[in-house]
PDB file of all heavy atoms in Angstrom:
ATOM      1  N   ILE A 283      -4.893  12.351  13.614  1.00  0.00           N
ATOM      2  CA  ILE A 283      -3.915  12.751  12.586  1.00  0.00           C
ATOM      3  C   ILE A 283      -2.459  12.416  12.914  1.00  0.00           C
ATOM      4  O   ILE A 283      -1.593  11.912  12.046  1.00  0.00           O
ATOM      5  CB  ILE A 283      -4.035  14.209  12.217  1.00  0.00           C
ATOM      6  CG1 ILE A 283      -5.569  14.452  11.824  1.00  0.00           C
ATOM      7  CG2 ILE A 283      -3.208  14.614  11.067  1.00  0.00           C
ATOM      8  CD1 ILE A 283      -6.076  13.800  10.591  1.00  0.00           C
ATOM      9  N   GLN A 284      -2.054  12.847  14.022  1.00  0.00           N
ATOM     10  CA  GLN A 284      -0.647  12.659  14.436  1.00  0.00           C
ATOM     11  C   GLN A 284      -0.163  11.254  14.470  1.00  0.00           C
ATOM     12  O   GLN A 284       0.815  10.686  14.095  1.00  0.00           O
ATOM     13  CB  GLN A 284      -0.460  13.256  15.758  1.00  0.00           C
ATOM     14  CG  GLN A 284       1.019  13.408  16.296  1.00  0.00           C
ATOM     15  CD  GLN A 284       1.366  14.334  17.395  1.00  0.00           C
ATOM     16  OE1 GLN A 284       0.338  14.687  18.041  1.00  0.00           O
ATOM     17  NE2 GLN A 284       2.556  14.517  17.765  1.00  0.00           N
ATOM     18  N   LYS A 285      -1.109  10.421  15.045  1.00  0.00           N
ATOM     19  CA  LYS A 285      -0.872   8.939  15.042  1.00  0.00           C
ATOM     20  C   LYS A 285      -0.754   8.373  13.746  1.00  0.00           C
ATOM     21  O   LYS A 285      -0.019   7.380  13.575  1.00  0.00           O
ATOM     22  CB  LYS A 285      -1.966   8.302  15.975  1.00  0.00           C
ATOM     23  CG  LYS A 285      -1.617   6.877  16.436  1.00  0.00           C
ATOM     24  CD  LYS A 285      -2.702   6.307  17.282  1.00  0.00           C
ATOM     25  CE  LYS A 285      -2.612   6.922  18.638  1.00  0.00           C
ATOM     26  NZ  LYS A 285      -1.417   6.649  19.441  1.00  0.00           N
ATOM     27  N   SER A 286      -1.470   8.799  12.833  1.00  0.00           N
ATOM     28  CA  SER A 286      -1.442   8.218  11.512  1.00  0.00           C
ATOM     29  C   SER A 286      -0.194   8.744  10.627  1.00  0.00           C
ATOM     30  O   SER A 286       0.330   7.921   9.923  1.00  0.00           O
ATOM     31  CB  SER A 286      -2.703   8.737  10.690  1.00  0.00           C
ATOM     32  OG  SER A 286      -3.944   8.213  11.326  1.00  0.00           O
ATOM     33  N   VAL A 287       0.228   9.896  10.916  1.00  0.00           N
ATOM     34  CA  VAL A 287       1.245  10.417  10.088  1.00  0.00           C
ATOM     35  C   VAL A 287       2.632  10.238  10.657  1.00  0.00           C
ATOM     36  O   VAL A 287       3.579   9.976   9.875  1.00  0.00           O
ATOM     37  CB  VAL A 287       1.080  11.986  10.011  1.00  0.00           C
ATOM     38  CG1 VAL A 287       2.259  12.656   9.175  1.00  0.00           C
ATOM     39  CG2 VAL A 287      -0.127  12.330   9.232  1.00  0.00           C
ATOM     40  N   ASN A 288       2.760  10.109  12.079  1.00  0.00           N
ATOM     41  CA  ASN A 288       4.092  10.039  12.682  1.00  0.00           C
ATOM     42  C   ASN A 288       4.921   8.847  12.174  1.00  0.00           C
ATOM     43  O   ASN A 288       6.154   9.018  12.089  1.00  0.00           O
ATOM     44  CB  ASN A 288       3.892   9.953  14.340  1.00  0.00           C
ATOM     45  CG  ASN A 288       4.099  11.186  14.887  1.00  0.00           C
ATOM     46  OD1 ASN A 288       4.575  12.133  14.324  1.00  0.00           O
ATOM     47  ND2 ASN A 288       3.444  11.281  16.069  1.00  0.00           N
ATOM     48  N   PRO A 289       4.366   7.573  12.014  1.00  0.00           N
ATOM     49  CA  PRO A 289       5.249   6.572  11.415  1.00  0.00           C
ATOM     50  C   PRO A 289       5.989   6.913  10.215  1.00  0.00           C
ATOM     51  O   PRO A 289       7.161   6.628  10.079  1.00  0.00           O
ATOM     52  CB  PRO A 289       4.373   5.457  11.366  1.00  0.00           C
ATOM     53  CG  PRO A 289       3.117   5.584  12.266  1.00  0.00           C
ATOM     54  CD  PRO A 289       3.046   7.195  12.317  1.00  0.00           C
ATOM     55  N   GLN A 290       5.250   7.443   9.256  1.00  0.00           N
ATOM     56  CA  GLN A 290       5.893   7.828   8.015  1.00  0.00           C
ATOM     57  C   GLN A 290       6.771   9.008   8.184  1.00  0.00           C
ATOM     58  O   GLN A 290       7.819   9.098   7.473  1.00  0.00           O
ATOM     59  CB  GLN A 290       4.822   8.136   6.886  1.00  0.00           C
ATOM     60  CG  GLN A 290       3.892   7.038   6.547  1.00  0.00           C
ATOM     61  CD  GLN A 290       4.678   5.956   5.745  1.00  0.00           C
ATOM     62  OE1 GLN A 290       5.530   6.280   4.867  1.00  0.00           O
ATOM     63  NE2 GLN A 290       4.310   4.812   5.744  1.00  0.00           N
ATOM     64  N   LEU A 291       6.523   9.916   8.958  1.00  0.00           N
ATOM     65  CA  LEU A 291       7.282  11.182   9.265  1.00  0.00           C
ATOM     66  C   LEU A 291       8.635  10.710   9.843  1.00  0.00           C
ATOM     67  O   LEU A 291       9.711  11.094   9.393  1.00  0.00           O
ATOM     68  CB  LEU A 291       6.573  12.102  10.160  1.00  0.00           C
ATOM     69  CG  LEU A 291       7.266  13.481  10.391  1.00  0.00           C
ATOM     70  CD1 LEU A 291       6.121  14.519  10.705  1.00  0.00           C
ATOM     71  CD2 LEU A 291       8.127  13.527  11.644  1.00  0.00           C
ATOM     72  N   MET A 292       8.502   9.739  10.906  1.00  0.00           N
ATOM     73  CA  MET A 292       9.760   9.228  11.564  1.00  0.00           C
ATOM     74  C   MET A 292      10.618   8.499  10.551  1.00  0.00           C
ATOM     75  O   MET A 292      11.877   8.573  10.480  1.00  0.00           O
ATOM     76  CB  MET A 292       9.412   8.414  12.817  1.00  0.00           C
ATOM     77  CG  MET A 292       8.538   9.184  13.848  1.00  0.00           C
ATOM     78  SD  MET A 292       9.489  10.481  14.645  1.00  0.00           S
ATOM     79  CE  MET A 292       8.493  10.952  15.867  1.00  0.00           C
ATOM     80  N   MET A 293       9.959   7.773   9.700  1.00  0.00           N
ATOM     81  CA  MET A 293      10.718   6.950   8.805  1.00  0.00           C
ATOM     82  C   MET A 293      11.388   7.804   7.692  1.00  0.00           C
ATOM     83  O   MET A 293      12.528   7.449   7.239  1.00  0.00           O
ATOM     84  CB  MET A 293       9.703   5.914   8.084  1.00  0.00           C
ATOM     85  CG  MET A 293      10.459   4.714   7.317  1.00  0.00           C
ATOM     86  SD  MET A 293       9.279   3.655   6.543  1.00  0.00           S
ATOM     87  CE  MET A 293       8.560   2.915   8.149  1.00  0.00           C
ATOM     88  N   SER A 294      10.856   8.909   7.580  1.00  0.00           N
ATOM     89  CA  SER A 294      11.542   9.942   6.483  1.00  0.00           C
ATOM     90  C   SER A 294      12.874  10.320   6.999  1.00  0.00           C
ATOM     91  O   SER A 294      13.897  10.390   6.173  1.00  0.00           O
ATOM     92  CB  SER A 294      10.581  11.142   6.355  1.00  0.00           C
ATOM     93  OG  SER A 294       9.374  10.883   5.751  1.00  0.00           O
ATOM     94  N   GLU A 295      13.044  10.494   8.316  1.00  0.00           N
ATOM     95  CA  GLU A 295      14.246  10.834   8.913  1.00  0.00           C
ATOM     96  C   GLU A 295      15.207   9.679   8.839  1.00  0.00           C
ATOM     97  O   GLU A 295      16.509   9.842   8.503  1.00  0.00           O
ATOM     98  CB  GLU A 295      14.141  11.189  10.523  1.00  0.00           C
ATOM     99  CG  GLU A 295      15.424  11.633  11.025  1.00  0.00           C
ATOM    100  CD  GLU A 295      16.033  12.956  10.541  1.00  0.00           C
ATOM    101  OE1 GLU A 295      15.233  13.717   9.804  1.00  0.00           O
ATOM    102  OE2 GLU A 295      17.197  13.254  10.844  1.00  0.00           O
ATOM    103  N   GLY A 296      14.813   8.391   8.956  1.00  0.00           N
ATOM    104  CA  GLY A 296      15.634   7.272   8.749  1.00  0.00           C
ATOM    105  C   GLY A 296      16.096   7.138   7.367  1.00  0.00           C
ATOM    106  O   GLY A 296      17.101   6.645   7.038  1.00  0.00           O
ATOM    107  N   LEU A 297      15.278   7.479   6.426  1.00  0.00           N
ATOM    108  CA  LEU A 297      15.582   7.383   4.993  1.00  0.00           C
ATOM    109  C   LEU A 297      16.270   8.728   4.547  1.00  0.00           C
ATOM    110  O   LEU A 297      16.718   8.751   3.302  1.00  0.00           O
ATOM    111  CB  LEU A 297      14.297   7.328   4.139  1.00  0.00           C
ATOM    112  CG  LEU A 297      13.460   5.933   4.391  1.00  0.00           C
ATOM    113  CD1 LEU A 297      12.134   6.194   3.615  1.00  0.00           C
ATOM    114  CD2 LEU A 297      14.171   4.855   3.771  1.00  0.00           C
ATOM    115  N   GLN A 298      16.486   9.591   5.528  1.00  0.00           N
ATOM    116  CA  GLN A 298      17.166  10.845   5.152  1.00  0.00           C
ATOM    117  C   GLN A 298      16.580  11.691   4.106  1.00  0.00           C
ATOM    118  O   GLN A 298      17.171  12.331   3.221  1.00  0.00           O
ATOM    119  CB  GLN A 298      18.606  10.584   4.800  1.00  0.00           C
ATOM    120  CG  GLN A 298      19.525   9.944   5.993  1.00  0.00           C
ATOM    121  CD  GLN A 298      20.989   9.811   5.653  1.00  0.00           C
ATOM    122  OE1 GLN A 298      21.344   9.886   4.517  1.00  0.00           O
ATOM    123  NE2 GLN A 298      21.685   9.345   6.642  1.00  0.00           N
ATOM    124  N   GLU A 299      15.190  11.689   4.038  1.00  0.00           N
ATOM    125  CA  GLU A 299      14.440  12.436   3.178  1.00  0.00           C
ATOM    126  C   GLU A 299      13.814  13.722   3.851  1.00  0.00           C
ATOM    127  O   GLU A 299      12.732  13.686   4.348  1.00  0.00           O
ATOM    128  CB  GLU A 299      13.292  11.642   2.491  1.00  0.00           C
ATOM    129  CG  GLU A 299      13.827  10.460   1.715  1.00  0.00           C
ATOM    130  CD  GLU A 299      12.825   9.606   1.131  1.00  0.00           C
ATOM    131  OE1 GLU A 299      11.506   9.910   1.361  1.00  0.00           O
ATOM    132  OE2 GLU A 299      13.023   8.644   0.368  1.00  0.00           O
ATOM    133  N   ARG A 300      14.653  14.701   4.017  1.00  0.00           N
ATOM    134  CA  ARG A 300      14.324  15.828   4.881  1.00  0.00           C
ATOM    135  C   ARG A 300      13.213  16.609   4.293  1.00  0.00           C
ATOM    136  O   ARG A 300      12.251  17.148   4.946  1.00  0.00           O
ATOM    137  CB  ARG A 300      15.569  16.804   5.118  1.00  0.00           C
ATOM    138  CG  ARG A 300      15.449  17.920   5.967  1.00  0.00           C
ATOM    139  CD  ARG A 300      15.094  17.373   7.498  1.00  0.00           C
ATOM    140  NE  ARG A 300      16.037  16.609   8.023  1.00  0.00           N
ATOM    141  CZ  ARG A 300      17.154  16.966   8.753  1.00  0.00           C
ATOM    142  NH1 ARG A 300      17.395  18.258   8.763  1.00  0.00           N
ATOM    143  NH2 ARG A 300      17.952  16.080   9.316  1.00  0.00           N
TER     144      ARG A 300
END
Side-chain angles (χ1 to χ4, degrees):
I283 301 293
Q284 188 167 12
K285 192 174 291 291
S286 299
V287 173
N288 264 341
Q290 293 291 329
L291 189 151
M292 301 290 181
M293 197 175 292
S294 297
E295 182 67 12
L297 296 170
Q298 298 183 349
E299 296 180 0
R300 190 60 60 83

